[in-house]
Amino acid sequence: MTTEPGLRESKKQETRQLISDCATRLFIEQGFEQTTIAEIATAARVAKKTVTNYFPRKEDLALDHHELFTGGLARTVADRSPGEAPLAALERAFRATLAEHSPVVGFTGPQFARMVTDSPTLTARLRELHDLREETLASALADPGADTGSDAAFAPRAAAALIAAADRLLFRRIQELTLAGRTDDEIEAALTPEADQVFALLAAALADSAT
C-alpha cells in the first residue's frame, strides 16, 4: 500500500528531471529564446502538456532549482544553531557552498552561464529570483510580533537588503570568473579572500543590529 505512491512519486521526479535535462541541452545548443516547448517535449518524448504541467514557466526549465535558491538564505537563518547570529550562520553556509562549488552560489559551468547571460528573459528571471531570495530572508529575520510601521519591523528589511546585495555581488563574481574561463578551484581560491572582505563589511554595517 505504501510502495505504489512512492514509486509514482519517484517516476514523477524522473520525468521532471528528464524534461529539465533535455531543455537545458537544447537551450545551450540553440539559445533559450530560440527553443520551443514543442522541441523540448519531442526531445524528452513526452506531450507538450506534460512539459507545462511540470514547468508552468519556460524560465523554470532552465532555472529548475529556483525554490531551493529563493529560500536558501531564509532556511540558513531558520536552521542556525542556538545562539548563533544570523550573519554568522549565513557566512558559514556561504563558505560551505563555495567549497562545494554549488550552483546555488553561482557555480554553473561556462556553457550554462553563457546561456543565461545571452538571454534577456533568463537574466530578468534571475533578478526576480534574487529579489525573492531577499524577501524570504527579510521574513526570516523579522520579529513576528513587531508592528509593521515600527523600526523593529524595518530593521530586518534593511539588514536583508544589505545581505542580499552582498549575496548578489558574490554570485555575479563567480559567474564573471566562470565566463572568463577560470576553473572552479581557481574561482574558489579567488572568492575566499573576497568573501572575507564582504562579510567583514557586512559585520561592520550590521554591528548595532541583532543580525
Side-chain angles (χ1 to χ4, degrees):
M1 293 293 291
T2 58
T3 303
E4 186 176 345
L7 288 173
R8 206 159 43 233
E9 183 60 30
S10 178
K11 179 62 175 175
K12 286 172 63 177
Q13 290 300 319
E14 289 175 5
T15 301
R16 187 183 191 281
Q17 190 62 54
L18 172 64
I19 294 170
S20 177
D21 290 345
C22 289
T24 299
R25 176 176 58 79
L26 289 172
F27 292 153
I28 289 173
E29 291 175 356
Q30 304 177 172
F32 178 81
E33 270 77 16
Q34 292 74 25
T35 302
T36 66
I37 298 297
E39 288 175 319
I40 294 166
T42 299
R45 297 184 178 180
V46 299
K48 184 177 176 181
K49 181 69 172 176
T50 302
V51 175
T52 55
N53 282 341
Y54 280 98
F55 299 94
R57 296 181 61 156
K58 184 182 174 184
E59 300 95 309
D60 293 340
L61 282 157
L63 306 172
D64 60 327
H65 298 296
H66 60 279
E67 292 178 353
L68 179 66
F69 178 77
T70 56
L73 298 178
R75 278 192 301 274
T76 296
V77 170
D79 296 341
R80 70 188 188 278
S81 303
E84 185 178 26
L87 183 60
L90 290 166
E91 180 175 1
R92 173 176 50 78
F94 176 81
R95 294 188 185 283
T97 51
L98 180 65
E100 294 166 4
H101 302 164
S102 170
V104 174
V105 292
F107 286 94
T108 60
Q111 289 183 314
F112 193 93
R114 177 58 60 192
M115 176 193 73
V116 174
T117 301
D118 289 345
S119 168
T121 304
L122 289 179
T123 301
R125 178 57 175 159
L126 187 57
R127 284 197 297 268
E128 290 178 358
L129 295 178
H130 275 291
D131 288 344
L132 289 170
R133 191 164 158 90
E134 178 183 334
E135 289 172 14
T136 57
L137 174 61
S139 296
L141 293 173
D143 178 359
D147 187 314
T148 55
S150 68
D151 290 343
F154 181 75
R157 291 169 55 194
L162 291 172
I163 293 167
D167 182 67
R168 292 180 202 225
L169 173 65
L170 293 170
F171 186 97
R172 285 198 302 268
R173 182 70 174 129
I174 291 172
Q175 293 279 285
E176 288 171 2
L177 292 173
T178 297
L179 291 170
R182 305 283 285 274
T183 68
D184 286 353
D185 286 340
E186 288 172 339
I187 294 170
E188 179 188 349
L191 260 290
T192 298
E194 293 177 358
D196 290 344
Q197 184 176 10
V198 167
F199 281 102
L201 289 169
L202 280 174
L206 299 170
D208 294 332
S209 74
T211 308

